[in-house]
Amino acid sequence: MRRSIAAGNWKMNGLRENFNDILLIDAASENVNCDVILCVPDTLIREMSEKTKNIFSGGQNCHIEASGAFTGDISAEMIKDAGASHVIVGHSERRVNYNENNNLIKSKAQTALNEGLKAIICIGETLKERDTGITLDIIKKQLLDSLPQEITGETIIIAYEPVWAIGTGLTPTIEQITEVHDFIRAELENNYGKKIGHSVNILYGGSMNAKNAHEISAIENVDGGLVGGASLKAESFIPIINALNLN
Ligand code: PEP
């Protein structure tokens, strides 16, 4: 039985003066019927993991090496050491802005797993890819080429995030989300076996908010959401947690 997940991605937002939002989100996450994960900037992970009780702490990216001459980078080991349990890899902003390809993302995910972090692996098509009818081909390639060889529902979370829905206020139709999530589930089951494929959480991400969270998360193979903008403030993220809590 998969437990629903409300994951927030703060991206490059959040100072210590925003810490009260984290505490409010933590308080609202007590006794909810879903896991709440906040992927904050690395600078906030330590304090968040020490001062919260009900939420999981996450990073947003990691290097494939544990240490070395990689100025400005952070390793999975360091994120873990700061108190994180999760890390996002392969977000479309990293794929596009830093030319991260499936191979690299697979290595990052493997490194995260080796360090005992749960990897949230993002995949999703651009609008051009959707318009040319190749969404499922793109999803299949990104999924199978970005996933480590051995996965379980305990080590991996997939986030389907159509690039054109991220930060735009646009969301796919319920039918479009259903189609892609069903497809991802089938691919997981075909390639990793029914039991493992069934156990992996598949999150939807892209302009999720308090209004659409309940309807989207009620779709059979949607096991929660990865939320960007609306996760930054307690007042907008808590209603999403509450909506996912209902499913
Ligand atoms: C994201 O960046 O992962 C995301 C889903 O952003 P937003 O919710 O702002 O579209």
Side-chain angles (χ1 to χ4, degrees), residues 174-191:
I174 294 299
E175 291 70 29
Q176 288 171 327
I177 298 174
T178 303
E179 180 188 37
V180 177
H181 279 246
D182 286 353
F183 179 77
I184 294 171
R185 176 74 61 215
E187 287 298 325
L188 288 172
E189 291 183 353
N190 288 342
N191 289 280

Side-chain angles (χ1 to χ4, degrees), residues 18-34:
N18 304 110
F19 211 81
N20 199 41
D21 281 289
I22 294 178
L23 297 179
L24 291 170
I25 291 166
D26 183 51
S29 302
E30 193 175 4
N31 297 326
V32 291
N33 191 25
C34 62

